[in-house]
Amino acid sequence: MPVYDYHSDDQSARERMVRYQLEARGIHHPRVLDAMRSVPRHLFVPAERAGDAYSDHALPIGEGQTISQPYMVALMTQLLDPAPSDRVLEVGTGSGYQAAILAELADEVVTVERDPVLSERAQEVLDALGYRNITFVVGDGTEGYLPLGPYDRIIVTAGAPFIPQPLIEQLTPGGKLVIPVGHRYEQVLTVAEKDAEGHLHLSEHGYCVFVPLIGRHGWRSELDGEPEPDDLP
Ligand code: SAM
């Protein structure tokens, strides 16, 4: 596990974040709370926003994208519930913060980002922090990433019009997928569990707002109102 050069102010900011934003709202998974306590979120936001890194909201990270609110990261990770031996696929690397949380909890993380600038920036931060169990892929994550699949857990950190079929196919039996599904400006946090026979069981966990998942099995562009009809399941 990486060793950080902790700044005591940041450590206490993380403690406050865990207590007042996460535990107070029902995040109870001990390993998730430990990961949220230890990953230095201020290193994943632009330097001029570092003072705001532990606040209770999403922040811009450049290229028109965002790092999700700490509570949303914790809630999705708690729902995902990765085991120490799991291989996890993340779609939407963004800042790399969620990938770091996953890398604390699972054996291997594969993270896919469509924007090469964001992917490279995230890789620099995560390499500097000493993470060695993360593979970075630039491409359309709605296609999953077949060469390293299947995955025990899949998490999508952008809003999808529906669950991309390749992600369902690349999920192991017994696996779990967490994804915001719905409209362009509001989604429902959805968990899909694949049973031993390959059947999916869906559950819903409240509303959320994510930037759009853009790709072959997602929204067609930043601006399009609807996915292409032939993409709909
Ligand atoms: N997980 C990120 C973090 O910890 O900072 C936040 C992700 S941000 C809310 C959503 C990201 O999904 C953006 O960086 C965006 O470029 C990316 N994205 C959108 N569509 C994608 C696709 N088809 N494949 C891969 N990444 C995609």
Side-chain angles (χ1 to χ4, degrees):
M1 196 166 290
V3 178
Y4 308 123
D5 181 13
Y6 285 118
H7 187 288
S8 59
D9 286 351
D10 297 321
Q11 183 67 65
S12 56
R14 279 195 292 281
E15 283 296 339
R16 283 196 300 277
M17 174 188 81
V18 165
R19 187 170 309 168
Y20 299 115
Q21 297 175 38
L22 308 186
E23 289 178 321
R25 289 192 187 122
I27 304 295
H28 51 75
H29 193 304
R31 297 177 66 238
V32 173
L33 292 171
D34 280 349
M36 298 292 296
R37 253 183 218 111
S38 62
V39 175
R41 181 172 162 96
H42 59 285
L43 301 182
F44 293 85
V45 303
E48 66 276 14
R49 305 304 291 260
D52 218 11
Y54 298 99
S55 304
D56 189 17
H57 48 74
L59 283 173
I61 55 170
E63 316 306 315
Q65 300 302 333
T66 53
I67 177 173
S68 305
Q69 176 197 28
Y71 171 68
M72 189 50 65
V73 173
L75 176 61
M76 291 178 84
T77 312
Q78 175 167 281
L79 290 169
L80 194 71
D81 189 25
S85 59
D86 279 351
R87 179 184 303 156
V88 180
L89 175 69
E90 179 194 23
V91 177
T93 310
S95 69
Y97 177 68
Q98 174 78 70
I101 298 288
L102 296 170
E104 293 280 336
L105 299 171
D107 182 43
E108 214 184 318
V109 177
V110 177
T111 183
V112 187
E113 171 58 55
R114 67 190 287 268
D115 184 325
V117 174
L118 290 178
S119 179
E120 196 174 319
R121 212 181 281 157
Q123 185 161 357
E124 276 168 22
V125 176
L126 290 160
D127 281 353
L129 286 171
Y131 288 98
R132 297 290 174 261
N133 58 341
I134 306 176
T135 302
F136 298 85
V137 177
V138 174
D140 177 5
T142 69
E143 303 273 16
Y145 189 63
L146 204 48
L148 294 179
Y151 302 95
D152 305 295
R153 298 286 185 268
I154 299 179
I155 180 170
V156 180
T157 60
F162 47 82
I163 303 178
Q165 185 62 29
L167 300 187
I168 296 171
E169 287 163 12
Q170 291 172 37
L171 190 63
T172 56
K176 214 187 250 195
L177 186 159
V178 177
I179 180 170
V181 180
H183 303 291
R184 186 163 276 262
Y185 300 109
E186 187 181 61
Q187 305 87 31
V188 173
L189 192 52
T190 304
V191 174
E193 295 184 65
K194 197 188 240 188
D195 67 22
E197 282 76 46
H199 299 124
L200 274 197
H201 303 270
L202 302 183
S203 57
E204 297 183 345
H205 301 268
Y207 288 99
C208 53
V209 177
F210 277 82
V211 294
L213 178 74
I214 296 166
R216 169 83 181 84
H217 305 273
W219 299 100
R220 276 301 169 91
S221 76
E222 304 278 353
L223 299 174
D224 280 355
E226 299 295 334
E228 291 294 304
D230 65 356
D231 272 354
L232 290 168

